[in-house]
Amino acid sequence: MSDAYDKLPRKVWVGVHEFTLQAVPRTHPALAPIHGPHPDGGACVFDPMGIFIADNMNQAALLETVWHELTHAVNHACDIEEATEEEDIADKHGKVWTQFWINNPRFSTWWTRNCIAVRKERARA
């Protein structure tokens, strides 16, 4: 498991909801094929009790996957359903994402550190 997984914050706040972030083996029961496999061999699941992420993805895939699951958490926190109007969705996301970045400094640090690492890796390629 990479440093990105080791330093993944254990929880985040999305609005008034607290969600755990858990890196688990790909065979973990929480990762049963609800969403299907990730292109990099991982998997992820959002559950109102937490977010489960397979511990076998590269850094870029991990960041994409975490963001994907956080979007589900925001939609849950804002009570956004499929029929919600686009402008209403954008407004709710703007408000909640702003509060997310204010309320989760450890996540912000983790995110920035891993984005920098991915950029350096790409520059070497």
Side-chain angles (χ1 to χ4, degrees), residues 92-110:
K92 289 178 178 183
H93 271 259
K95 290 175 183 173
V96 173
W97 282 117
T98 299
Q99 290 306 308
F100 177 87
W101 291 109
I102 291 168
N103 293 337
N104 295 287
R106 287 186 182 144
F107 186 87
S108 179
T109 300
W110 175 83

Side-chain angles (χ1 to χ4, degrees), residues 32-55:
I34 293 173
H35 292 307
H38 189 278
D40 288 326
C44 54
V45 171
F46 167 76
D47 176 293
M49 300 303 295
I51 296 171
F52 299 89
I53 310 255
D55 64 2

Side-chain angles (χ1 to χ4, degrees), residues 56-67:
N56 63 337
M57 290 179 267
N58 66 45
Q59 275 181 308
L62 174 62
L63 293 172
E64 292 170 15
T65 302
V66 168
W67 195 268

Side-chain angles (χ1 to χ4, degrees), residues 21-87:
L21 287 174
Q22 297 180 49
V24 296
R26 177 63 181 95
T27 57
H28 191 279
L31 297 181
I34 293 173
H35 292 307
H38 189 278
D40 288 326
C44 54
V45 171
F46 167 76
D47 176 293
M49 300 303 295
I51 296 171
F52 299 89
I53 310 255
D55 64 2
N56 63 337
M57 290 179 267
N58 66 45
Q59 275 181 308
L62 174 62
L63 293 172
E64 292 170 15
T65 302
V66 168
W67 195 268
H68 172 99
E69 295 307 322
L70 288 174
T71 300
H72 286 298
V74 168
N75 289 345
H76 174 78
C78 294
D79 203 24
I80 293 174
E81 298 175 8
E82 287 185 35
T84 306
E85 293 291 324
E86 183 180 350
E87 192 61 30

Side-chain angles (χ1 to χ4, degrees), residues 109-120:
T109 300
W110 175 83
W111 186 266
T112 301
R113 182 181 323 113
N114 284 283
C115 284
I116 290 168
V118 169
R119 284 186 206 117
K120 286 180 181 178

